[in-house]
Amino acid sequence: MEVLFTFVPKDHQQEMLEKEFPNVDFHFTKQDKSRLSHAEIVVTYGEDLTAEDIEKAANLKWIMVASAGVEKMPHKAILEKGITVSNVRGIHKIPMAESVLAHLLSIKRSLPTIYEKQTQREWHRKIRSSELSGSTALIIGPGAIGGEIGRLLQAFGVSTIGCNRSGKQADYMNEMVSFENILEVLPKADTVISVVPSTEETRGMLGSEHFKAMKSQAIFMNFGRGDLVPDDVLVKALNDGEIGYAVLDVFEQEPLPSDHPLWGMENVVVSPHVSSHSGRYVERALEIFAPNLKKWLENNSDLTNQVNMEKGY
Amino acid sequence: MEVLFTFVPKDHQQEMLEKEFPNVDFHFTKQDKSRLSHAEIVVTYGEDLTAEDIEKAANLKWIMVASAGVEKMPHKAILEKGITVSNVRGIHKIPMAESVLAHLLSIKRSLPTIYEKQTQREWHRKIRSSELSGSTALIIGPGAIGGEIGRLLQAFGVSTIGCNRSGKQADYMNEMVSFENILEVLPKADTVISVVPSTEETRGMLGSEHFKAMKSQAIFMNFGRGDLVPDDVLVKALNDGEIGYAVLDVFEQEPLPSDHPLWGMENVVVSPHVSSHSGRYVERALEIFAPNLKKWLENNSDLTNQVNMEKGY
């Protein structure tokens, strides 16, 4: 039985897999899809498979995506062939929550100013720092990642409002609201953080009326997907002073074109979709993959983190 | 009875005091000490009183320092005249702990690189981010501020080691060590954070042997007082790769001279002694002062946050 990796784990990680599964024929490649027609399982970052690939992959039964988003996958072709898809949702929660807190605290505690004044060797103490403690945050998408963000925010004395489809209670949220009632809570939030995936419901979910409803000092953070809000709506909201700051890890178009206005705006941080980066990423992905592979070999179809390709998550 | 402020609280704060204490004669001044000989109480940031001032201040019985450090005060003169001193220790804990976490997370999550690449409009994804989670931190001075730092670090999954004079258990520390045994734990710490005041025991407490004992990737953070370690020892440790990074809010000489090598070092953050800054600072100081003043007027000498001027804290 063949397993094709379209990325290359570290040597000791490859050896660990080969030792644990001596009867499995592993191919670790750098996006080399030449063995795709032989593989029963493909392990991929989810950005390198086309509908034609799926067509050719005669033996493919399971795609393990070592990423959380599956929107770049050929959904229709995968659904038609009844291929199982699983992902690594949850493994991003620690690095992403740390990134969100890093950016938020950095703004509150004036780090961009401190860094800039250091380059000028200027002992500049007229810094207007504020506190995260005592503020209110709205978390759009209080799932695994959003919940971890909520847990950390609460430790800092932040009141958390979760916003999901149903408005049903989620972990580490002091209060909940449904997607359709989001306008009611936006005026209360000092920080608005989105970590939702790209789905039919979230694409274009935020428009100018939402930014108008936010506090003029609000910090808007998009760490989910760039299609949540059109870039031009966001640029206008910032230019019109409807919000105070934006920290963006995702964009409508990635890479963000070098002539895009967001790059040069003073109250914007452009993070090049790196918030989930971690030196421990592949290690954690394999911790999810190995037990799933064991189940697969035992014909146990109850895989962890299976993705419903019709819903897209 | 006269109370002299050598700084000026906001109007509504002045009014609040005048309303609460109608029989007290408040003078709110900008470091104007002309009424010093009349005042029974002086409220100061602790940097503007000389031994001569204390000499002249015939009626002075209580100095309320709206700061945590009292090392710039004329200790001898104050002790000789038996003047009561109190401070606002504890009110720094939230802004300072947030600053420490901000700087630490910023480094772990590559914010300095993200900010720099943004100025070049460069979509730079080859960023080596790591995680705070799973690391070990040594906190020198696990008091009010150090404990708050420990509490937050533990929320991030960090193992905390507290280091104080006695080695006795302190809040939010997984492990404790005494000052004299600090060398034993330095090799374990990914982050070494000092928040100790300047006392006889802490001045020059860290020398080159301590930096040699640290991990080569260790992040050293001094948010206490600059005399904990000679600047040249620190510069050498960084240049020799004995530690990986330093974040400094305090220095031997403040302001840090503009030709000082620390300003220009790549793995150093120079923060101009602003980590305790907060828009809520005076508000919190007055929340400590007002109840103390009430006690004072009732001849109750059990003031909150009294300072032992012989020990210096």
Side-chain angles (χ1 to χ4, degrees):
Chain A
M1 198 269 278
E2 275 197 34
V3 175
L4 172 65
F5 276 68
T6 62
F7 62 93
V8 185
K10 288 187 181 146
D11 287 348
H12 74 272
Q13 292 165 334
Q14 296 184 22
E15 284 158 23
M16 184 272 288
L17 285 171
E18 280 160 347
K19 201 175 152 192
E20 192 172 345
F21 303 101
N23 299 322
V24 173
D25 186 12
F26 289 100
H27 293 264
F28 303 105
T29 76
K30 228 173 174 173
Q31 297 201 304
D32 175 356
K33 295 186 282 191
S34 58
R35 293 207 66 86
L36 198 56
S37 56
H38 304 274
E40 182 171 324
I41 302 170
V42 168
V43 185
T44 166
Y45 282 131
E47 304 185 340
D48 52 3
L49 292 178
T50 64
E52 296 78 59
D53 289 334
I54 301 299
E55 223 30 68
K56 273 185 248 164
N59 295 299
L60 184 58
K61 298 208 176 83
W62 170 24
I63 302 171
M64 151 85 184
V65 188
S67 158
V70 295
E71 75 276 8
K72 288 182 183 164
M73 306 256 288
H75 285 229
K76 203 160 152 262
I78 289 168
L79 275 167
E80 276 172 12
K81 291 190 83 175
I83 294 166
T84 297
V85 175
S86 70
N87 69 2
V88 291
R89 72 173 163 267
I91 75 163
H92 302 81
K93 74 176 192 180
I94 290 177
M96 284 198 66
E98 289 193 6
S99 280
V100 167
L101 268 291
H103 281 284
L104 194 46
L105 285 165
S106 175
I107 294 167
K108 296 281 184 186
R109 306 306 300 152
S110 308
L111 267 53
T113 308
I114 291 171
Y115 293 159
E116 195 202 327
K117 294 294 175 185
Q118 181 175 351
T119 65
Q120 296 154 21
R121 293 176 171 254
E122 188 185 335
W123 186 263
H124 178 86
R125 300 195 74 220
K126 287 193 179 144
I127 280 176
R128 290 191 164 270
S129 295
S130 58
E131 294 173 16
L132 185 54
S133 174
S135 67
T136 296
L138 173 65
I139 293 134
I140 307 174
I145 296 164
E148 178 66 2
I149 294 168
R151 187 183 70 78
L152 292 172
L153 287 173
Q154 287 184 337
F156 278 90
V158 174
S159 174
T160 56
I161 308 172
C163 178
N164 58 17
R165 203 172 317 108
S166 62
K168 270 193 209 140
Q169 188 56 44
D171 289 344
Y172 302 110
M173 300 296 141
N174 294 102
E175 196 184 324
M176 290 296 302
V177 69
S178 65
F179 282 164
E180 59 179 358
N181 292 325
I182 190 170
L183 273 170
E184 290 171 19
V185 296
L186 285 172
K188 289 203 278 187
D190 300 289
T191 314
V192 176
I193 305 164
S194 173
V195 287
V196 283
S198 174
T199 69
E200 218 169 291
E201 283 162 302
T202 64
R203 279 189 279 273
M205 189 173 131
L206 297 188
S208 59
E209 71 275 26
H210 297 94
F211 291 93
K212 283 189 176 51
M214 292 182 203
K215 287 188 182 182
S216 63
Q217 289 308 311
I219 300 172
F220 172 71
M221 307 181 82
N222 192 359
F223 283 67
R225 285 296 180 257
D227 55 16
L228 178 79
V229 46
D231 286 352
D232 57 350
V233 167
L234 190 52
V235 169
K236 192 173 184 309
L238 285 156
N239 281 336
D240 293 354
E242 279 161 13
I243 61 171
Y245 221 106
V247 183
L248 308 168
D249 192 53
V250 292
F251 304 86
E252 277 193 304
Q253 191 186 338
E254 296 180 16
L256 187 68
S258 62
D259 61 351
H260 199 287
L262 284 169
W263 283 112
M265 292 171 74
E266 259 214 350
N267 47 354
V268 172
V269 174
V270 173
S271 169
H273 206 147
V274 292
S275 65
S276 66
H277 277 210
S278 163
R280 295 159 75 182
Y281 192 94
V282 175
E283 166 196 332
R284 291 213 180 106
L286 297 181
E287 279 168 14
I288 294 176
F289 176 62
N292 265 354
L293 179 57
K294 195 157 175 278
K295 285 186 191 169
W296 184 264
L297 295 173
E298 289 162 355
N299 292 312
N300 175 348
S301 63
D302 180 27
L303 302 186
T304 299
N305 282 352
Q306 243 178 280
V307 176
N308 178 330
M309 289 302 278
E310 281 190 83
K311 289 188 183 167
Y313 57 89
Chain B
M1 200 269 280
E2 274 196 35
V3 176
L4 171 66
F5 276 68
T6 63
F7 63 93
V8 185
K10 288 189 180 145
D11 287 348
H12 75 271
Q13 292 165 335
Q14 297 184 21
E15 284 159 23
M16 184 271 287
L17 286 171
E18 281 160 346
K19 201 174 153 193
E20 192 172 344
F21 303 99
N23 299 324
V24 173
D25 186 11
F26 290 99
H27 292 264
F28 303 105
T29 75
K30 230 176 174 172
Q31 297 201 301
D32 175 356
K33 296 186 280 190
S34 57
R35 294 207 64 85
L36 199 57
S37 57
H38 304 274
E40 182 171 323
I41 302 169
V42 169
V43 185
T44 166
Y45 282 130
E47 304 185 341
D48 52 4
L49 293 178
T50 64
E52 295 79 59
D53 289 335
I54 301 300
E55 225 30 69
K56 272 184 249 165
N59 296 298
L60 184 58
K61 298 208 177 82
W62 170 24
I63 303 171
M64 151 85 183
V65 188
S67 159
V70 295
E71 75 276 7
K72 288 181 183 164
M73 305 256 287
H75 286 230
K76 205 162 151 261
I78 290 169
L79 274 167
E80 276 172 11
K81 292 191 82 173
I83 294 167
T84 297
V85 175
S86 71
N87 69 2
V88 290
R89 70 173 165 269
I91 75 163
H92 302 82
K93 73 176 193 179
I94 289 177
M96 284 199 64
E98 289 193 5
S99 281
V100 168
L101 268 292
H103 281 285
L104 194 47
L105 285 164
S106 175
I107 294 167
K108 296 280 184 186
R109 306 307 299 154
S110 307
L111 267 53
T113 308
I114 291 171
Y115 292 159
E116 195 202 327
K117 294 294 176 186
Q118 180 175 350
T119 65
Q120 296 154 21
R121 294 177 171 254
E122 188 186 336
W123 186 263
H124 179 85
R125 300 195 73 222
K126 287 193 179 144
I127 280 176
R128 290 191 163 269
S129 295
S130 58
E131 294 173 16
L132 186 54
S133 175
S135 67
T136 297
L138 172 66
I139 293 132
I140 307 175
I145 297 165
E148 178 67 3
I149 294 168
R151 187 183 70 78
L152 292 171
L153 286 173
Q154 286 184 338
F156 279 90
V158 174
S159 174
T160 55
I161 308 172
C163 178
N164 58 17
R165 205 172 315 109
S166 62
K168 271 193 209 140
Q169 188 57 44
D171 289 345
Y172 302 110
M173 300 296 141
N174 294 103
E175 196 184 324
M176 290 296 302
V177 69
S178 65
F179 282 164
E180 58 179 359
N181 292 326
I182 191 170
L183 274 170
E184 290 170 17
V185 296
L186 285 172
K188 289 203 279 187
D190 300 289
T191 314
V192 177
I193 306 164
S194 173
V195 286
V196 283
S198 175
T199 69
E200 219 169 288
E201 282 162 301
T202 64
R203 279 189 278 274
M205 189 172 129
L206 297 187
S208 59
E209 71 274 25
H210 297 95
F211 291 93
K212 283 190 175 52
M214 291 182 203
K215 287 189 181 181
S216 64
Q217 290 308 310
I219 300 172
F220 173 70
M221 307 181 81
N222 193 359
F223 283 67
R225 286 296 180 259
D227 54 15
L228 178 78
V229 46
D231 286 353
D232 57 349
V233 167
L234 190 53
V235 169
K236 193 172 183 311
L238 285 156
N239 281 336
D240 293 354
E242 279 162 12
I243 61 171
Y245 221 106
V247 183
L248 308 168
D249 191 52
V250 292
F251 305 86
E252 278 194 302
Q253 192 187 338
E254 294 180 15
L256 187 68
S258 62
D259 62 351
H260 200 286
L262 284 169
W263 282 112
M265 291 172 74
E266 260 213 350
N267 47 355
V268 171
V269 173
V270 173
S271 169
H273 206 147
V274 291
S275 64
S276 65
H277 277 209
S278 163
R280 295 160 75 183
Y281 192 94
V282 175
E283 165 196 332
R284 292 210 180 110
L286 296 181
E287 279 167 14
I288 294 176
F289 176 63
N292 266 354
L293 179 56
K294 194 157 175 279
K295 285 186 192 169
W296 186 264
L297 295 173
E298 290 163 355
N299 292 313
N300 175 349
S301 63
D302 181 28
L303 301 186
T304 299
N305 282 352
Q306 242 178 283
V307 176
N308 178 330
M309 289 302 278
E310 282 192 82
K311 289 189 184 167
Y313 56 87

